[in-house]
């Protein structure tokens, strides 16, 4: 590439980032797995730590000159231990997906059986889905949500575990808005002599403040990504009992990954430290308060909210009653045209393929981080319903997007 071409390419990247900044400012960002990282987290993520190839763990790196990166990683581990009270923490996973895979590799043999939530009911792809390597390596069996209530039915899960006799039971989900009884899951797992992996990707921030029950110290393994409710640097985390520490660490490095992503780990350290502050408790309370207010405001406007509410940052709506002909995929497109960024989602017992789905998942993590409070959720609900009603009407959606920009401003 000529020098001018390189400059043009660099400018194109910079312009795309500037456009992204405008999009985030002027839209209602409601993807439940996203958040707004603090300036400290962003600075850490953009730091010169990217120059280092951090192979190994603190005090046992493969390359010399590692004292500073060891400090960064040790701080991230110490803050995480303080937040969640885990016996052992690994902050190196490049993603929540790799965190899950490392646990499987550490605890299971190929061909072992994992019992997980059915994908149609919101089970995660890394929990043994066909499209994921976990579905190739292990036998997968599913439990389901109660289609009438949209909730976990622990007695049915216990019966299913008894039938399947799994080696591992996975709990924790991407679009389940209600409290999870981790102890009950553990009891079920112990009854069938299975490990219990609690995937807390979505709720780790809520757990850190005590706003959601904790599976840490209950399940043998807890995993998650680190940029949803916890809003730190990008990547994943594994927490486990000390007896599994060595197996988990080795499964991740060198089993799955090479050098640790030190800028991300610095971002995790910065974000975990922020989450230890009282301000973070307020943030989590606002996030859940916003979600509850949004659920109420949508219900008041005739939208079917799955489980009639939420205990988390997630509001899952089923459009079949209110907008029967509108699949989640088309609802997502209409919302996007109006400046509301939220994703289609399957609902319990969904008759549609996941690529269409019958619902939409809304999250309040980013809005709460931007200061949207419970009273603002009435206006947000109003805009959501008008966008759904206006699906297919380009002019109406464009007019709505101007209103969304005004609200964001
Ligand atoms: N699990 C997916 C989500 O919740 O959006 C990706 O992180």
């Amino acid at each position: 590439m000529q020098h001018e071409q390189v400059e043009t390419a660099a400018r194109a990247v910079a312009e795309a980032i500037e456009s992204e900044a405008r999009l985030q400012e002027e839209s209602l960002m409601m993807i439940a797995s996203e958040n707004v990282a603090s300036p400290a987290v962003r600075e850490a993520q953009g730091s010169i730590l990217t120059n280092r190839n951090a192979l190994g763990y603190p005090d046992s790196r493969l390359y010399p000159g590692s004292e500073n990166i060891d400090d960064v990683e040790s701080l991230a581990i110490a803050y995480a231990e303080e937040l969640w009270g885990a016996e052992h923490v690994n902050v190196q996973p490049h993603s929540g997906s790799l965190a899950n895979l490392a646990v499987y590799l550490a605890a299971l043999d190929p061909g072992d059986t994992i019992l997980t939530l059915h994908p149609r009911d919101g089970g995660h792809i890394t929990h043994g889905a066909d499209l994921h390597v976990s579905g190739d390596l292990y036998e997968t069996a599913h439990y389901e949500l109660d289609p009438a209530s949209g909730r976990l039915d622990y007695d049915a899960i216990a019966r299913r575990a008894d039938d399947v006799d799994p080696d591992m039971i996975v709990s924790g989900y991407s679009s389940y808005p209600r409290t999870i009884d981790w102890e009950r899951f553990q009891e079920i797992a112990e009854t069938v002599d299975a490990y219990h992996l609690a995937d807390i990707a979505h709720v780790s921030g809520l757990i850190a403040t005590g706003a959601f029950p904790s599976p840490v110290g209950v399940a043998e393994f807890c995993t998650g990504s680190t940029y949803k409710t916890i809003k730190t640097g990008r990547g994943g985390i594994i927490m486990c009992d000390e007896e599994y520490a060595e197996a988990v660490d080795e499964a991740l490095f060198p089993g799955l990954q090479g050098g640790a992503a030190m800028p991300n780990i610095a971002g995790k350290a910065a974000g975990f430290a922020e989450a230890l502050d009282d301000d973070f408790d307020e943030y989590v309370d606002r996030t859940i308060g916003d979600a509850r207010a949004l659920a109420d405001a949508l219900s008041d406007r005739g939208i079917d909210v799955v489980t009639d509410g939420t205990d988390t940052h997630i509001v899952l709506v089923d459009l079949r009653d209110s907008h029967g002909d509108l699949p989640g995929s088309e609802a997502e497109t209409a919302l996007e045209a109006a400046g509301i960024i939220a994703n289609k989602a399957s609902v319990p017992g969904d008759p549609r393929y996941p690529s269409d789905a019958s619902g939409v998942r809304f999250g309040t993590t980013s809005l709460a981080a931007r200061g949207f409070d419970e009273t603002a959720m009435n206006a947000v609900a109003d805009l959501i319903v008008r966008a759904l009603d206006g699906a297919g009407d380009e002019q109406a959606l464009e007019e709505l997007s101007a209103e969304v920009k005004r609200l964001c401003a």
Side-chain angles (χ1 to χ4, degrees):
M1 221 185 230
Q2 298 297 310
H3 181 67
E4 294 75 28
Q5 288 174 305
V6 174
E7 273 197 354
T8 306
R11 204 160 31 242
V13 172
E15 281 169 9
I17 294 173
E18 279 164 24
S19 299
E20 175 62 23
R22 262 197 312 282
L23 176 86
Q24 291 186 23
E25 269 174 33
E26 296 179 346
S27 309
L28 292 170
M29 305 300 289
M30 302 188 75
I31 303 279
S33 54
E34 295 181 350
N35 212 319
V36 180
S38 73
V41 169
R42 286 163 50 196
E43 190 173 339
Q45 288 235 194
S47 70
I48 45 107
L49 291 175
T50 201
N51 298 340
R52 298 309 309 272
N53 194 10
L55 292 156
Y57 291 102
D59 300 323
S60 61
R61 302 282 181 194
L62 270 57
Y63 300 155
S66 296
E67 60 269 29
N68 303 313
I69 56 177
D70 280 7
D71 283 349
V72 169
E73 186 165 342
S74 299
L75 283 168
I77 291 168
Y79 296 147
E81 282 172 351
E82 200 173 336
L83 277 174
W84 290 289
E87 281 184 17
H88 178 71
V89 175
N90 185 318
V91 293
Q92 287 201 7
H94 296 332
S95 66
S97 300
L98 286 167
N100 285 343
L101 202 46
V103 168
Y104 300 147
L105 291 179
L108 301 174
D109 292 319
D112 279 356
T113 301
I114 315 176
L115 180 61
T116 71
L117 181 65
H118 198 290
R120 190 205 51 223
D121 284 356
H124 197 255
I125 189 169
T126 63
H127 299 175
D130 287 344
L131 290 170
H132 188 253
V133 65
S134 57
D136 285 333
L137 285 176
Y138 309 106
E139 294 295 323
T140 309
H142 295 300
Y143 54 90
E144 299 178 357
L145 295 176
D146 172 41
S149 66
R151 294 185 187 236
L152 292 162
D153 176 345
Y154 297 95
D155 291 338
I157 296 167
R159 285 195 297 276
R160 185 83 179 116
D162 217 32
D163 288 346
V164 168
D165 190 22
D167 300 286
M168 179 177 280
I169 298 182
V170 183
S171 61
Y173 319 99
S174 293
S175 59
Y176 188 68
R178 290 298 186 177
T179 300
I180 298 169
D181 187 342
W182 309 110
E183 275 88 2
R184 187 73 207 279
F185 263 110
Q186 184 66 21
E187 191 186 302
I188 296 168
E190 282 175 15
T191 304
V192 295
D193 201 19
Y195 291 114
H196 177 197
L197 163 60
D199 183 338
I200 58 170
H202 267 272
V203 289
S204 57
L206 317 183
I207 291 169
T209 70
F212 196 91
S214 176
V216 178
V218 177
E220 288 87 7
F221 306 98
C222 297
T223 54
S225 44
T226 48
Y227 47 83
K228 293 178 174 128
T229 48
I230 191 64
K231 73 192 184 83
T232 79
R234 288 201 73 81
I237 187 168
I238 304 170
M239 294 179 258
C240 64
D241 295 345
E242 194 59 50
E243 64 180 297
Y244 307 110
E246 201 178 323
V248 161
D249 289 354
E250 279 181 14
L252 191 72
F253 172 86
L256 288 169
Q257 295 186 174
M262 286 313 304
N264 298 31
I265 291 174
K268 290 173 191 177
F272 293 154
E274 287 169 354
L276 287 165
D277 191 274
D278 289 347
D279 284 354
F280 188 72
D281 290 41
E282 275 173 40
Y283 163 71
V284 164
D285 289 348
R286 185 162 62 248
T287 301
I288 297 174
D290 282 0
R292 289 195 168 130
L294 180 66
D296 287 346
L298 288 170
S299 290
D300 290 347
R301 287 162 177 78
I303 304 289
D304 179 11
V305 173
V306 175
T307 75
D308 297 327
T310 181
D311 300 322
T312 67
H313 57 301
I314 291 172
V315 179
L316 180 64
V317 304
D318 183 341
L319 297 174
R320 285 177 294 174
D321 281 352
S322 59
H323 298 80
D325 297 334
L326 188 68
S329 50
E330 289 175 27
E332 179 185 286
T333 305
L335 289 162
E336 184 182 6
I340 303 167
I341 311 297
N343 63 286
K344 65 179 179 287
S346 296
V347 293
D350 203 324
R352 289 189 171 104
Y353 283 113
S355 53
D356 281 336
S358 296
V360 179
R361 181 187 69 166
F362 296 97
T364 52
T365 43
S366 300
L367 295 188
R370 290 160 69 187
F372 281 70
D373 62 13
E374 289 177 33
T375 50
M377 290 304 120
N378 262 315
V380 171
D382 204 50
L383 290 161
I384 288 171
V385 175
R386 286 163 62 202
L388 296 173
D389 292 346
D393 182 342
E394 275 180 38
Q395 197 186 333
L397 294 172
E398 199 178 321
E399 282 166 19
L400 265 185
S401 75
E403 282 191 51
V404 165
K405 280 182 193 160
R406 278 200 294 279
L407 180 64
C408 291

